[in-house]
Amino acid sequence: MSPLYAPEQPDLNWQHPDVHAEFESILRFWFDRGVDGFRIDVAHGLAKDPELPDLPPPPDTAHRQPLHHVQHPHWDRDEVHDIYRAWRKVADEFDGDRAFVAEAWADTPERLAAYVRPGGLHTAFNFDFLMASWDPKDLRTVIDDSLAMLSGIGAPATWVLSNHDVMRHTSRYARKTVARWVPNERYQPQGAVDLDLGTRRARAAALLMLALPGGAYIYQGDELGVPEVEDLPESVLEDPIWERSGHTDKGRDGCRVPIPWSGQATPFGFSPEDAYAAPWLPQPATWNQLTVEAQTGDNTSMLELYRTALHLRRENPALGDGTMTWLDTPVGVLAFRRDPGFVCVVNLSGEAYPLPDHSSVLLASGPVEDGVLTPDQAAWLAV
């Protein structure tokens, strides 16, 4: 039987009461010291089928339904929620806002919502949004399903575009065809890379995500527009997936390259230039254009787009928690209103789209001329 994790990551037996007691004591130890909460890695993977059966044959991906729950011997089992209900009771013993954030991959919105039911965890990353293709119908379905399922149990929605386990969305969106994929299967990009296209779409996706009701998680480097490093030499790969796959799957190192902070050459301020060792993964030389230093003060940069969007999100009473209403638009365009007086428009079509009536453009992912939104662009409007 092969392990699920690296040797340094013990996979504990949660059928043993001593494991439960030990973890609850650890939670109390840190809550006593004032920590605000915990992010739970692989939150869907604690409970196992006690018989430890072999995995079934992999599904036929050509015919598999993307949003269909598949019973699994060690992923997203119902028993895992007993653990989190006990943890929630521990958190509730302490004053203040203590929170658990689940990294939980689930097949369907219903399965994800189970983690944040009353008495369970506080919030969970919404990977359905991350896994959606660059398609208005797909994105709207994910948004509607997520909001409906979570509002039904009184839990906040969350949105995320990238993380440390998946290809960065700047590079996913850099393909003409952006495939949707299903949990527990590696993403396979299709076609040549066009980073100008990927960056345009990533800018628009940021404004879409930050305009939605609920919370948003930003993976380090998203705010710089950092792409996936897809040409790392085999000699530097660190991800255990590379060895376990028999050198057929390069793994996740491409999204884990250290982000650039300053300067014109590696390590771009990530570590001192005279440091004993270089960063564990090499940074592309072209990242000198993506450093925090280079982007700061440049109103056309990804970093300043994020900074402005986050400032407006904090200041605008229409954003954050609350509801949204879809507006009628042509095929290929998404638009929704949030009260008071805010509209987000995203043009995913191949044609220019005249913006609806508005008093001002609060923010746009690219230039807006003559009130027209070009393809792969988004705008926030005051109405």
Side-chain angles (χ1 to χ4, degrees):
M1 180 179 178
S2 62
L4 296 179
Y5 310 107
E8 300 83 1
Q9 299 172 300
D11 192 9
L12 302 177
N13 177 12
W14 285 90
Q15 297 181 58
H16 199 295
D18 288 353
V19 173
H20 290 260
E22 176 68 10
F23 263 78
E24 289 173 21
S25 72
I26 292 169
L27 294 174
R28 290 190 176 93
F29 176 89
W30 289 108
F31 280 141
D32 273 334
R33 281 153 183 78
V35 302
D36 291 323
F38 295 86
R39 172 197 178 275
I40 306 165
D41 195 49
V42 197
H44 57 294
L46 275 62
K48 312 292 191 298
D49 185 329
E51 300 299 321
L52 298 180
D54 292 336
L55 289 177
D60 179 357
T61 56
H63 299 94
R64 179 172 173 181
Q65 301 173 26
L67 296 179
H68 175 70
H69 177 57
V70 177
Q71 187 68 27
H72 197 280
H74 55 254
W75 295 142
D76 189 29
R77 296 185 61 81
D78 292 340
E79 306 94 291
V80 77
H81 302 298
D82 294 335
I83 299 169
Y84 298 136
R85 279 190 286 269
W87 289 14
R88 177 61 179 265
K89 291 179 180 177
V90 173
D92 289 345
E93 295 172 8
F94 295 84
D95 294 332
D97 294 326
R98 311 302 175 103
F100 290 115
V101 180
E103 185 220 23
W105 292 86
D107 291 327
T108 68
E110 293 86 351
R111 298 296 299 185
L112 180 64
Y115 288 85
V116 291
R117 289 174 297 189
L121 302 176
H122 299 83
T123 186
F125 298 121
N126 183 358
F127 293 128
D128 276 347
F129 186 71
L130 179 155
M131 292 189 294
S133 61
W134 189 247
D135 175 83
K137 182 178 179 181
D138 194 13
L139 283 166
R140 179 166 174 169
T141 297
V142 167
I143 292 167
D144 283 343
D145 289 351
S146 298
L147 291 174
M149 189 55 57
L150 292 167
S151 65
I153 58 174
T158 64
W159 315 100
V160 59
L161 289 167
S162 288
N163 79 351
H164 63 288
D165 287 328
V166 303
M167 174 176 278
R168 286 186 177 273
H169 66 278
T170 302
S171 294
R172 294 201 313 273
Y173 294 157
R175 271 75 179 184
K176 184 176 181 180
T177 299
V178 183
R180 197 189 200 287
W181 86 92
V182 295
N184 303 319
E185 295 174 14
R186 297 289 292 161
Y187 184 77
Q188 301 297 329
Q190 302 174 14
V193 177
D194 179 350
L195 281 180
D196 288 338
L197 174 65
T199 300
R200 277 201 312 276
R201 289 174 170 176
R203 291 173 64 90
L207 294 194
L208 168 62
M209 178 180 73
L210 294 173
L212 292 171
Y217 291 96
I218 300 170
Y219 177 49
Q220 54 91 10
D222 287 358
E223 76 285 7
L224 300 177
V226 168
E228 184 86 358
V229 183
E230 299 185 55
D231 59 353
L232 287 171
E234 295 178 359
S235 60
V236 305
L237 298 179
E238 298 276 353
D239 192 342
I241 288 176
W242 173 240
E243 294 296 335
R244 290 186 181 182
S245 67
H247 293 184
T248 60
D249 185 339
K250 282 193 169 184
R252 302 159 293 181
D253 286 322
C255 64
R256 300 178 177 188
V257 175
I259 64 173
W261 290 89
S262 60
Q264 291 297 311
T266 59
F268 295 122
F270 181 82
S271 54
E273 293 184 7
D274 59 352
Y276 177 75
W280 71 99
L281 292 168
Q283 302 152 305
T286 54
W287 280 16
N288 65 338
Q289 303 171 43
L290 298 178
T291 65
V292 176
E293 181 182 61
Q295 295 194 47
T296 295
D298 178 359
N299 291 334
T300 67
S301 71
M302 184 77 80
L303 178 60
E304 294 298 348
L305 178 76
Y306 267 87
R307 284 174 168 167
T308 303
L310 291 171
H311 174 76
L312 290 172
R313 179 182 165 92
R314 187 180 303 113
E315 298 297 323
N316 195 313
L319 299 179
D321 292 335
T323 60
M324 58 176 279
T325 303
W326 292 108
L327 304 179
D328 291 333
T329 54
V331 174
V333 177
L334 293 177
F336 56 87
R337 180 183 179 108
R338 302 197 61 194
D339 289 325
F342 176 92
V343 166
C344 175
V345 183
V346 187
N347 185 4
L348 297 96
S349 75
E351 306 293 333
Y353 173 69
L355 290 171
D357 291 340
H358 58 279
S359 56
S360 65
V361 176
L362 300 172
L363 183 63
S365 62
V368 175
E369 297 180 359
D370 300 322
V372 173
L373 199 62
T374 56
D376 298 313
Q377 192 171 328
W380 288 1
L381 310 176
V383 297

